[in-house]
Amino acid sequence: MVPAGSSPATLLSVIGTVAVPSAMAFFGFALVFSKGSVVSIYAKARRWIDGAFALVFGVFASRVLTSRIVD
C-alpha cells in the first residue's frame, strides 16, 4: 500500500513496478499462444483445461458462498 501524501516519483515507481512485469507477461502469453503448435495443443486439450478451471472456480465459489463473515 502506498502511503497518503507519497511523492509523484514514488507513485510512478510503484506503477512501473507493477505495469512492466504485467505487460511482459501478457506479451509473452500472446507470443507463445500465437504459435501454431501451441494453438493445436490447446485445441486438443481445451475440454480438459476448461473442465479443470470450472472445477477450481466451482470449489472457490462454494467456499465463498458457505463462509461466514467475521467482524
Side-chain angles (χ1 to χ4, degrees), residues 15-44:
I15 291 169
T17 301
V18 172
V20 170
S22 296
M24 289 173 58
F26 283 114
F27 285 129
F29 290 144
L31 184 64
V32 167
F33 282 102
S34 68
K35 304 282 185 192
S37 59
V38 176
V39 172
S40 67
I41 291 170
Y42 173 74
K44 291 176 185 173

Side-chain angles (χ1 to χ4, degrees), residues 1-64:
M1 185 145 88
V2 180
S6 296
S7 69
T10 302
L11 293 175
L12 285 175
S13 174
V14 170
I15 291 169
T17 301
V18 172
V20 170
S22 296
M24 289 173 58
F26 283 114
F27 285 129
F29 290 144
L31 184 64
V32 167
F33 282 102
S34 68
K35 304 282 185 192
S37 59
V38 176
V39 172
S40 67
I41 291 170
Y42 173 74
K44 291 176 185 173
R46 182 176 173 192
R47 283 184 176 240
W48 289 99
I49 293 169
D50 288 347
F53 276 105
L55 180 66
V56 169
F57 282 112
V59 169
F60 289 152
S62 68
R63 297 285 308 263
V64 169

